[in-house]
Amino acid sequence: MTELTTTVTVTASALAIGDELLSGRTKDKNIGHLAEMLTAAGIDLLEVRIVPDDEARIVEALNALRARYDYVFTSGGIGPTHDDITADAVAKAFGVNCGHDPDALALLSAHYAERGLEFTEARRRMARMPEGSRHIANPVSCAPGFIIGNVHVMAGVPSVFQAMLDNVLPTLNAGTKVLSDKVSCPYGEGDIGDPLSAIAKAHPDVNIGSYPRFSGQGFSTEIVIRGRDESAIGAARIDIESMLSTIRPADLTATV
Amino acid sequence: MTELTTTVTVTASALAIGDELLSGRTKDKNIGHLAEMLTAAGIDLLEVRIVPDDEARIVEALNALRARYDYVFTSGGIGPTHDDITADAVAKAFGVNCGHDPDALALLSAHYAERGLEFTEARRRMARMPEGSRHIANPVSCAPGFIIGNVHVMAGVPSVFQAMLDNVLPTLNAGTKVLSDKVSCPYGEGDIGDPLSAIAKAHPDVNIGSYPRFSGQGFSTEIVIRGRDESAIGAARIDIESMLSTIRPADLTATV
């Protein structure tokens, strides 16, 4: 009996915004986290771009990505200072106005009043979003992210980005999850590349990745089998293990 | 007396290649390192893309980036296995053939002979590069990267990427270095956003960035002044310090 399953593919892209990422002053931590969380949710992250705090470049990248993928996730540029221009750029990309959102103003106003802090013009700036946006709640520091069309605009500070993403994930259409299995291989890629290539060709339903690790002395390899069908992954694994067991002791070199 | 200086701008982009970066299995370490090294060399990294091991996507991204920036630096996909397709994709982007480079074959053949290792077809694969490429020496594991046009193709393994980049950097045209200075600010961005915005407008020759730090309790801010003219940076710093000294004690809130 053949089991019929429908595979649903949902695609995504990420746009990290900020001069500091491109100068090297800040090392991005959001892309890797987003990648992990999307993979776990069955959503395929297929492209990432990093651009500076420059309106024209943000607009261009955003329009390219939102046309091509089911979802876009942005990080950075939604704080209170003059270099936080993401809301304006997103509004421009969508051709809508960017203004102070009344609900966000109310939220922030109450937040600062509770703390006895002045609701400065800079803080009011964090209530600005493209017309028609929905909020992404920010349990860390109140100022919401927002969703417009298929674009999810989130903060750059990793703890805030992660909290916003936790609120966003349950609202997304999830695809069929990609399953993965891995085989640790003590040999370098050069030792296994030829037979592994043959195995990859014989198992077109899975994606076999081979990732070198360099210890300082020599290379070993992690072989990762990814796919949406568990039995296809299992079949590839059997062939890979069988291949590894035939590598001759003379080849136990752990070098590329 | 006015000192006349010429500012030279050299631009760059990065293309990180690999399914593992987009699945979250591997966290990229090359982009941040490249960004730091280029900044130190006076080269402006202006865009980064991450794409999967997919020929069409690599070709598309590479052609977009190489047309737009002085330099492109790629990482990943030049190992010996079937999923290492960067050399072929780069050749396709340039419209040239990809074949076994005789000098690279000779290097690798000697390298493996010295170690008593078979020069497998997989290992020979690492000698493949687009016709007309020049080598980037790889002191870690021999297999060279390559340069074609303005594109520098390097390994994904961070220790190898870094070693290759060390060999590449002295060959690049360097721009006028971007200098930077920073002012640590114990207040959140919401406290300083308005006056900082005015200072940024008053100092158009420098770029003033403001980066929130969240301690778990509240926010502080690092203010970074970047520019190519030391005296302009110094003037902006004086205004920022003067502004910070006027913040009232009631505002010492360290919250956004």
Side-chain angles (χ1 to χ4, degrees):
Chain A
M1 206 175 88
T2 304
E3 196 186 337
L4 289 175
T5 54
T6 308
T7 296
V8 179
T9 303
V10 180
T11 64
S13 58
L15 178 62
I17 298 163
D19 292 350
E20 71 278 19
L21 302 171
L22 294 166
S23 74
R25 212 191 59 83
T26 299
K27 304 293 181 293
D28 171 80
K29 288 187 178 131
N30 296 325
I31 294 167
H33 177 77
L34 177 69
E36 266 185 56
M37 299 298 275
L38 291 179
T39 297
I43 296 171
D44 296 344
L45 180 64
L46 290 180
E47 183 170 348
V48 175
R49 298 193 190 184
I50 307 177
V51 296
D53 299 306
D54 177 288
E55 186 174 276
R57 286 174 181 274
I58 298 170
V59 169
E60 181 193 348
L62 192 64
N63 280 337
L65 297 175
R66 74 190 181 93
R68 187 164 192 173
Y69 303 101
D70 295 327
Y71 294 117
V72 184
F73 302 90
T74 80
S75 64
I78 61 168
T81 53
H82 64 280
D83 57 343
D84 290 304
I85 61 168
T86 297
D88 293 275
V90 173
K92 190 154 191 180
F94 278 88
V96 301
N97 287 324
C98 186
H100 288 93
D101 178 85
D103 292 341
L105 275 180
L107 266 178
L108 286 163
S109 169
H111 174 79
Y112 291 113
E114 243 172 58
R115 286 156 185 75
L117 296 172
E118 192 187 341
F119 193 26
T120 58
E121 192 52 44
R123 288 180 174 130
R124 289 171 57 87
R125 206 173 144 73
M126 292 189 288
R128 298 180 76 250
M129 51 184 76
E131 271 179 17
S133 297
R134 285 172 294 139
H135 290 195
I136 300 173
N138 169 1
V140 177
S141 52
C142 187
F146 56 86
I147 304 169
I148 178 168
N150 60 345
V151 177
H152 295 71
V153 176
M154 298 185 285
V157 175
S159 58
V160 184
F161 179 87
Q162 289 166 24
M164 287 182 173
L165 184 60
D166 287 345
N167 286 331
V168 161
L169 281 171
T171 71
L172 303 176
N173 299 317
T176 307
K177 273 188 196 170
V178 172
L179 308 169
S180 76
D181 196 3
K182 66 181 173 187
V183 182
S184 289
C185 161
Y187 321 127
E189 289 191 305
D191 285 312
I192 58 157
D194 296 333
L196 191 65
S197 175
I199 292 171
K201 277 194 191 116
H203 294 270
D205 292 346
V206 299
N207 179 309
I208 299 177
S210 134
Y211 304 107
R213 292 264 178 275
F214 183 67
S215 68
Q217 300 293 313
F219 282 88
S220 60
T221 306
E222 191 166 88
I223 300 168
V224 176
I225 314 159
R226 301 177 79 233
R228 289 185 155 93
D229 175 354
E230 199 167 354
S231 64
I233 292 175
R237 184 185 177 98
I238 287 169
D239 281 3
I240 291 168
E241 286 178 333
S242 158
M243 177 271 285
L244 290 179
S245 72
T246 66
I247 302 266
R248 291 164 306 156
D251 291 331
L252 299 181
T253 56
T255 71
V256 157
Chain B
M1 205 174 89
T2 306
E3 195 186 338
L4 289 175
T5 54
T6 307
T7 295
V8 178
T9 303
V10 180
T11 64
S13 59
L15 178 62
I17 298 163
D19 292 349
E20 71 279 17
L21 302 171
L22 295 166
S23 74
R25 213 191 59 84
T26 299
K27 304 293 182 293
D28 171 80
K29 288 187 179 131
N30 296 325
I31 294 167
H33 177 76
L34 177 70
E36 267 184 54
M37 299 297 276
L38 291 179
T39 297
I43 296 171
D44 296 344
L45 180 63
L46 291 180
E47 182 171 349
V48 175
R49 297 193 190 184
I50 307 177
V51 297
D53 299 306
D54 177 290
E55 187 174 274
R57 286 174 181 275
I58 298 170
V59 168
E60 182 193 349
L62 191 64
N63 280 337
L65 296 174
R66 74 191 181 93
R68 187 163 194 174
Y69 303 101
D70 295 327
Y71 295 116
V72 184
F73 302 90
T74 81
S75 64
I78 61 167
T81 53
H82 63 282
D83 57 343
D84 291 303
I85 61 167
T86 297
D88 292 275
V90 173
K92 192 154 189 178
F94 278 88
V96 302
N97 287 325
C98 186
H100 288 92
D101 178 83
D103 292 343
L105 274 181
L107 267 176
L108 286 164
S109 169
H111 175 80
Y112 291 112
E114 244 172 56
R115 284 155 185 78
L117 295 171
E118 193 186 342
F119 194 25
T120 57
E121 192 53 44
R123 288 180 174 129
R124 288 170 59 88
R125 206 173 144 73
M126 291 189 289
R128 298 179 75 250
M129 51 184 75
E131 270 177 20
S133 298
R134 285 171 296 137
H135 290 195
I136 300 173
N138 168 1
V140 176
S141 51
C142 187
F146 57 86
I147 304 168
I148 177 168
N150 60 345
V151 177
H152 295 70
V153 176
M154 299 186 285
V157 174
S159 58
V160 183
F161 180 87
Q162 290 167 24
M164 286 182 174
L165 184 60
D166 288 344
N167 286 331
V168 161
L169 281 170
T171 71
L172 303 176
N173 298 318
T176 308
K177 274 187 197 171
V178 173
L179 308 168
S180 76
D181 196 2
K182 64 180 173 186
V183 182
S184 289
C185 161
Y187 320 129
E189 290 191 302
D191 285 312
I192 58 158
D194 296 334
L196 190 65
S197 175
I199 293 172
K201 276 195 193 118
H203 293 270
D205 292 346
V206 299
N207 179 310
I208 300 178
S210 135
Y211 304 107
R213 292 264 179 274
F214 183 67
S215 69
Q217 299 294 311
F219 283 88
S220 59
T221 308
E222 191 167 90
I223 300 169
V224 177
I225 314 158
R226 301 176 79 234
R228 288 186 155 91
D229 175 354
E230 199 166 353
S231 64
I233 291 175
R237 183 185 178 98
I238 287 169
D239 282 2
I240 290 168
E241 286 178 333
S242 159
M243 177 273 286
L244 290 180
S245 72
T246 66
I247 301 265
R248 293 165 302 158
D251 292 332
L252 298 181
T253 56
T255 71
V256 158

